[in-house]
Amino acid sequence: MSGTFTVINPATAQPIREIGRATVEDVDAVVARAVRAQRTWAGLAPVARADALRRFARVVEDHVEELAQLEVLNSGHPIESARWEASHVAQVLNFSSGAPERLSGLQIPVAGGLDVTFHEPYGVVGIIVPWNFPMTIASWGFAPALAAGNAVVIKPAELTPLTAMRLGDLALEAGLPDGLFTVVTGSGSVVGQRFVSHPDVRKVVFTGSTEVGTDVAAGCARNLKPVTLELGGKSANIVFDDADLELAAASAPGAVFDNAGQDCCARSRILVQRSVYDRFLELLEPAVAEWKVGDPALESTQMGPLISASHRSTVASFLDDADVAFRGSAPEGDGFWFAPTVVLAQPSDRLAQEEVFGPVVAVLPFDDEADGIRLANDTAYGLAGSIWTENLGRAVRVSRAVKSGVLSVNSHSSVRYSTPFGGMKASGLGRELGPDAAEHFTETKNVFFATDAS
Ligand code: TAP
């Protein structure tokens, strides 16, 4: 280890713990252990790997409250959200535990023999995790990677390492072999980069900013290593004039202010058909006023603080010269608080183009269906989106035309462990979760067995 860094409670701005910073040599030692553990793990019967993942899921279930409280402390997530996140980790593990016995290959008709394919694990997978959803995003990588027969090395964000570290303890408690699941704390430029350059880390999963993700992908390309990228978003919440406006307005704050807007799927642009634009804003204002921002330990709280002082400054900079329509409330005093804010924007505004990653939403009018689709696609990103309409044909047309990986109609759902998740354009490469998640952590091997004597 080379020194330590301090973990801060974002709701109080007080230090919580000092954490060690791993060096390149530390990472190399962890990867060497992972290589050995993976050989044994991949050699187990599929049912034995499935059982081990189910045991891990049960241990996580038994510690949901502890993990949730830790996330409240470290990330400022409201306790109800944090409980959902910890339970979600157990569910992703349970879902993935079905994969070892279902990773079937193909039998392909060929002349002169038998041709079959195998899904071989990569070996060691490096998972680089951001600070916004530390547990859940880690699990989207580690659970299917383990299910497919890989070992994992996990680098949490320096701002929020505590739940990932605790999951590392719980993996051992559940009986996973030493070295199979290791959390390595330290900086992205050292630990994350070593995952990218280490010859024995054969796949990298990165979630975070488009800028760093692009750099990680370039490094993986130099090392001929596959990479999954989950990056930023500027997702549209498109409200047509035939929508249930009351429901659309009542649900819009949750779609963008959940996790204080620090969500790659945040519907941070609300596009409203011009004929209902004024009415929608009238309905949105009380919904924003009612959005409860405060102590994340309280069950009534819907939104906690931003993650850090510097991130709050970045979010605040988006309001310079912005046309603020109305704001909700936030506590005063210590902690990185920021009130939910609704801004009226033009399509070319920074607020309509760039990811804020905070509780700020831009509202823009559009004229008709074609204009709404054009505006929805008018950013570099393509992660998520919502479409509000009572017209089925329109719902189908618009959902096919919007270039985003995860859309929902008359709802804002984005994440289910059983359905694929991931972005188009600058929002990423590859998909996580869903029925094919484990397969993404394998390479296909084709074997031909000659049967005809030659
Ligand atoms: P990043 O700087 O991209 O960090 C994400 C992860 O990558 C962290 O674990 C970070 O480690 C690590 N990292 C940093 N530099 C690296 C490098 N050169 N090589 C390998 N790994 C590296 O994102 P952030 O600071 O957390 O957030 C910045 C912006 O990214 C946000 O404002 C938001 O726009 C976007 N973001 C998007 C998402 C999602 S889910 N798409 C999540 C978080 C952030 P350390 O920070 O510990 O050094």
Side-chain angles (χ1 to χ4, degrees):
M1 289 284 169
S2 147
T4 60
F5 59 95
T6 309
V7 178
I8 308 276
N9 178 341
T12 62
Q14 294 303 309
I16 307 169
R17 258 170 80 179
E18 292 294 310
I19 305 288
R21 263 206 180 97
T23 60
V24 167
E25 292 69 33
D26 295 327
V27 179
D28 289 359
V30 164
V31 172
R33 282 213 327 273
V35 167
R36 289 194 293 276
Q38 190 269 333
R39 284 196 199 112
T40 314
W41 177 245
L44 293 178
V47 69
R49 274 188 277 131
D51 279 344
L53 292 177
R54 284 190 274 265
R55 275 198 304 277
F56 189 10
R58 275 198 299 278
V59 172
V60 172
E61 271 161 16
D62 290 345
H63 291 80
V64 161
E65 189 59 25
E66 183 201 334
L67 287 163
Q69 294 291 350
L70 207 50
E71 207 64 278
V72 172
L73 184 72
N74 190 174
S75 302
H77 292 188
I79 181 65
E80 285 293 299
S81 309
R83 286 182 184 130
W84 182 90
E85 290 161 31
S87 301
H88 179 78
V89 173
Q91 288 165 349
V92 176
L93 278 164
N94 266 325
F95 182 68
S96 301
S97 72
E101 295 180 284
R102 290 188 175 85
L103 269 176
S104 310
L106 295 171
Q107 179 267 309
I108 301 170
V110 289
L114 172 72
D115 194 281
V116 291
T117 64
F118 296 92
H119 292 299
E120 302 287 10
Y122 280 106
V124 179
V125 174
I127 302 168
I128 304 173
V129 183
W131 47 260
N132 61 331
F133 287 108
M135 275 187 278
T136 53
I137 290 177
S139 73
W140 301 354
F142 70 66
L146 291 171
N150 301 280
V152 293
V153 289
I154 301 163
K155 193 213 100 58
E158 279 172 293
L159 288 165
T160 57
L162 299 187
T163 46
M165 291 169 71
R166 187 67 186 121
L167 285 170
D169 302 336
L170 297 180
L172 289 176
E173 202 175 297
L176 289 195
D178 184 46
L180 190 73
F181 179 112
T182 312
V183 176
V184 193
T185 54
S187 77
S189 56
V190 175
V191 178
Q193 274 304 308
R194 189 57 185 147
F195 288 3
V196 171
S197 66
H198 197 298
D200 287 334
V201 177
R202 293 308 315 148
K203 175 168 177 160
V204 171
V205 177
F206 171 87
T207 307
S209 62
T210 300
E211 190 188 355
V212 177
T214 306
D215 187 50
V216 164
C220 286
R222 274 193 295 279
N223 291 285
L224 286 179
K225 180 177 298 197
V227 61
T228 301
L229 299 175
E230 295 292 357
L231 308 174
K234 191 73 199 175
S235 299
N237 176 5
I238 314 169
V239 182
F240 286 96
D241 62 4
D242 57 21
D244 180 335
L245 273 195
E246 279 73 17
L247 200 54
S251 64
V256 59
F257 302 144
D258 188 51
N259 200 18
Q262 303 166 126
D263 181 342
C264 47
C265 296
R267 275 39 168 199
S268 56
R269 291 180 301 152
I270 307 180
L271 314 181
V272 188
Q273 195 156 6
R274 208 177 291 277
S275 47
V276 293
Y277 178 81
D278 290 340
R279 176 72 187 134
F280 181 84
L281 283 172
E282 272 171 29
L283 292 166
L284 182 62
E285 187 164 3
V288 171
E290 282 164 21
W291 189 250
K292 293 188 194 66
V293 184
D295 181 355
L298 298 178
E299 284 176 3
S300 54
T301 294
Q302 291 172 294
M303 181 180 129
L306 290 170
I307 192 65
S308 67
S310 81
H311 187 53
R312 181 171 59 180
S313 304
T314 307
V315 171
S317 75
F318 277 88
L319 296 189
D320 297 346
D321 305 323
D323 181 2
V324 174
F326 42 85
R327 303 190 77 180
S329 58
E332 303 278 319
D334 294 338
F336 312 124
W337 302 102
F338 200 91
T341 305
V342 178
V343 170
L344 308 181
Q346 302 299 317
S348 60
D349 290 352
R350 189 176 165 224
L351 260 167
Q353 294 292 330
E354 294 180 23
E355 185 176 45
V356 180
F357 228 56
V360 180
V361 66
V363 186
L364 298 93
F366 66 88
D367 292 320
D368 54 19
E369 191 176 306
D371 196 33
I373 292 167
R374 184 191 59 73
L375 213 49
N377 288 332
D378 184 29
T379 79
Y381 295 108
L383 185 52
S386 307
I387 300 154
W388 289 82
T389 176
E390 295 292 300
N391 177 329
L392 178 62
R394 168 171 281 166
V396 174
R397 285 192 301 275
V398 177
S399 56
R400 295 304 302 271
V402 172
K403 292 193 189 312
S404 291
V406 191
L407 289 164
S408 61
V409 175
N410 296 332
S411 96
H412 298 294
S413 81
S414 300
V415 171
R416 264 177 244 92
Y417 55 80
S418 55
T419 59
F421 177 85
M424 296 179 176
K425 296 155 67 183
S427 291
L429 278 182
R431 294 292 176 269
E432 299 189 285
L433 302 176
D436 304 327
E439 201 175 314
H440 295 320
F441 289 94
T442 65
E443 309 189 81
T444 300
K445 179 183 284 172
N446 189 75
V447 183
F448 171 71
F449 298 86
T451 50
D452 296 352
S454 55

